[in-house]
Amino acid sequence: MASKDFTIAFVGGGMVGLACAIPLSHAGFKVDVYESAKEFGEVGAGVVLACNGRCALKGLGLLDPLYAQLGEAKNNLLTAFQFISGVGDNELIYPANERILGLYRPDYMDAIMPLIDPSIVHFGKQCILVDKTPPEVSGGRPTTTLHFADGTTAVADLVIGADGIKSITRRYVTGSDDSRLSFTGTSLYRDLIPMEDLRKAGVKTELLGRQLSWFHHDKHLICFPVKNDTILNVGAFPRNDPVLAGEKPGPWVEQAPQQELLDDFPGWGRDAQIILDHMKAPGKWYIHHVSPVLESYVKDHVVLIGDAAHGMLPHLGAGLNQGFEDAYTLYRLLTHPKTNFSNLRYVLEIYSSFRSPRANMVLTRTARMGEIYDEHETSGGDNQKFIDSLQDMWTPIWGYYIDEEVDALLERLGMVAEPTNWDAQAKFGVGKSVQPQGTSYFTSTVRALS
């Protein structure tokens, strides 16, 4: 593809930002990635890569490198959301039976690192402000300036905010100092446990091949294997704290004493207790989400992807996959032959109109899933009511193929038209929903992604 007539700056070089930046740089764009950290970190817990996320990565050209990194582990798909009792004989309450891949974040980073041109990455660049470039600097061309904590600046024609849930770019898009963040009242203990240690401790429950959600009293515990079944990724959710209309003061992640965790989870059954006992150094995460949701993910030539646009709760394991859908959609729109600087604002509006209804729907469902957990925990364990609440919870989220929907979007938008006739405002109603209507939107069929 010939070089485009606009430059791109990414604020943030996390999993989603790099998923978009790498293919755009390979497609001939002038891309710069500004990352606040001193280097790309490879620490982190496990994440869920669902069918929709795998579809997006395949379209971005990143699935095959990831599979090569994983080796045979790529075939270790998990049966997701197996809800079981945390006491007694671990009775199976509800099998969701979706198929996911438990992904260890360092494996993802190791897979994509060879694909990154080091010259496009700038470390130690904490963005503190986004504003319009003064006309005397831009020569009248509408560009954007990034201001960094070290006193330096950078200018780009297009800024892609991939700077996570605490996003600075989101403040520019909303036009407010309000960060749109709310503490959900949910906290989470996280840890990684060697599977061999659990086997030696005598765990009898089958931990491989599935994602388990254990229930007891007013708490739940979620676990799934990662790193070729050698590590168990564990998240333990204690009783909720009061919801705040804003951010929780203090750090969002802190090291917790193991005794605090054990005190929060008394009276669990044998196998669940063994897992809790092996969470030797849990991190405690205070979960926030974007609330109220953003009606638009774009302003001028600044656009949001991933948690910057729709940071959500972890209850459906959907946030990362939504970020990959964002990255794929934006990649397809920006690389389209008819996209250029003159119509860039309309292209971004179409991205927002296409993505915000779906991603905000998923965000809302994750919050609803948290309510379902609470309702079960406070209703005396009414399993049938719980099962009824779960019907079709995952269908519109995971049974979705972003490549087909973007194909249909481009066809509906008539992006074969000449640029001079390509007026999204007049033809398509910028700001109106162009949410996908294809049959795959509400199908649970799992398409093989080799």
Side-chain angles (χ1 to χ4, degrees):
M1 186 187 82
S3 296
K4 292 282 189 173
D5 63 344
F6 56 92
T7 61
I8 303 175
F10 280 81
V11 180
M15 296 179 73
V16 170
L18 293 177
C20 193
I22 290 170
L24 285 175
S25 66
H26 290 184
F29 284 89
K30 173 63 172 67
V31 172
D32 287 284
V33 177
Y34 297 96
E35 168 58 38
S36 61
K38 298 299 182 183
E39 61 183 3
F40 289 130
E42 292 202 346
V43 298
V47 294
V48 169
L49 187 59
C51 181
N52 58 314
R54 298 198 300 274
C55 179
L57 287 183
K58 187 176 181 68
L60 290 164
L62 300 178
L63 189 65
D64 287 343
L66 176 60
Y67 278 178
Q69 174 67 30
L70 296 177
E72 290 301 316
K74 71 178 183 293
N75 300 316
N76 295 344
L77 293 180
L78 309 176
T79 303
F81 289 100
Q82 301 285 290
F83 296 92
I84 65 175
S85 171
V87 295
D89 296 327
N90 307 130
E91 171 195 1
L92 180 64
I93 298 172
Y94 180 79
N97 290 326
E98 302 288 352
R99 302 289 283 171
I100 61 172
L101 180 66
L103 180 62
Y104 189 45
R105 184 181 185 275
D107 286 339
Y108 173 86
M109 296 302 294
D110 288 345
I112 66 173
M113 287 297 290
L115 307 176
I116 302 172
D117 178 355
S119 68
I120 73 172
V121 181
H122 312 277
F123 292 110
K125 294 296 182 180
Q126 180 185 356
C127 184
I128 58 174
L129 178 66
V130 180
D131 65 11
K132 293 182 179 179
T133 307
E136 62 270 21
V137 175
S138 67
R141 181 175 172 122
T143 57
T144 305
T145 300
L146 304 176
H147 300 260
F148 303 106
D150 63 3
T152 61
T153 60
V155 176
D157 297 316
L158 168 62
V159 170
I160 300 178
D163 47 343
I165 195 166
K166 293 186 178 183
S167 173
I168 292 297
T169 53
R170 183 170 61 242
R171 293 176 185 265
Y172 180 87
V173 169
T174 61
S176 169
D177 287 336
D178 179 6
S179 64
R180 292 289 185 101
L181 289 179
S182 292
F183 176 54
T184 62
T186 303
S187 55
L188 164 67
Y189 296 101
R190 301 181 74 170
D191 207 351
L192 298 167
I193 307 172
M195 200 71 75
E196 181 62 25
D197 291 354
L198 296 174
R199 281 193 287 267
K200 290 179 179 178
V203 169
K204 296 179 180 179
T205 302
E206 180 56 66
L207 300 176
L208 301 183
R210 54 184 183 160
Q211 180 191 50
L212 295 177
S213 183
W214 313 62
F215 285 88
H216 175 48
H217 193 42
D218 56 355
K219 304 174 179 69
H220 61 280
L221 178 73
I222 293 178
C223 64
F224 57 89
V226 295
K227 203 166 180 59
N228 203 18
D229 292 341
T230 61
I231 294 175
L232 188 69
N233 181 79
V234 185
F237 294 82
R239 183 192 298 273
N240 284 355
D241 298 320
V243 174
L244 299 179
E247 299 181 42
K248 181 186 181 299
W252 288 14
V253 180
E254 57 189 5
Q255 199 72 28
Q258 186 189 31
Q259 193 57 51
E260 177 185 321
L261 163 71
L262 297 177
D263 290 345
D264 271 344
F265 288 84
W268 283 65
R270 178 183 179 277
D271 283 357
Q273 191 63 55
I274 291 175
I275 292 173
L276 291 166
D277 289 342
H278 280 76
M279 295 177 71
K280 302 293 187 182
K284 189 173 184 179
W285 299 55
Y286 297 96
I287 308 300
H288 291 66
H289 66 164
V290 173
S291 178
V293 299
L294 274 62
E295 294 182 0
S296 174
Y297 296 163
V298 63
K299 179 182 178 182
D300 303 325
H301 285 175
V302 179
V303 63
L304 306 176
I305 62 175
D307 284 349
H310 43 69
M312 60 187 69
L313 278 72
H315 295 308
L316 293 175
L320 177 63
N321 296 280
Q322 286 307 296
F324 288 153
E325 287 185 17
D326 294 340
Y328 176 79
T329 303
L330 196 55
Y331 166 77
R332 287 287 304 277
L333 288 169
L334 293 177
T335 56
H336 192 279
K338 299 302 183 182
T339 298
N340 54 48
F341 185 79
S342 67
N343 60 29
L344 183 57
R345 182 168 66 88
Y346 298 126
V347 172
L348 300 180
E349 291 282 4
I350 286 172
Y351 160 82
S352 178
S353 296
F354 179 74
R355 285 298 304 153
S356 60
R358 171 164 168 79
N360 289 343
M361 176 273 291
V362 176
L363 187 157
T364 302
R365 278 186 175 244
T366 63
R368 174 57 188 148
M369 187 66 208
E371 293 173 355
I372 291 173
Y373 280 123
D374 292 341
E375 290 167 2
H376 181 266
E377 293 161 355
T378 59
S379 67
D382 186 337
N383 288 344
Q384 188 56 53
K385 181 179 179 181
F386 176 75
I387 292 169
D388 292 342
S389 299
L390 294 177
Q391 300 305 308
D392 293 325
M393 177 59 71
W394 296 271
T395 298
I397 299 176
W398 290 351
Y400 177 91
Y401 306 110
I402 188 67
D403 55 349
E404 295 178 2
E405 298 298 353
V406 173
D407 285 345
L409 169 70
L410 296 178
E411 182 177 354
R412 290 198 304 275
L413 293 181
M415 286 187 72
V416 295
E418 292 301 319
T420 53
N421 298 323
W422 199 77
D423 186 345
Q425 180 76 45
K427 293 177 66 176
F428 313 121
V430 168
K432 295 181 180 179
S433 171
V434 286
Q435 185 175 357
Q437 301 296 324
T439 55
S440 72
Y441 189 76
F442 287 106
T443 178
S444 60
T445 303
V446 176
R447 186 175 61 181
L449 292 171
S450 59

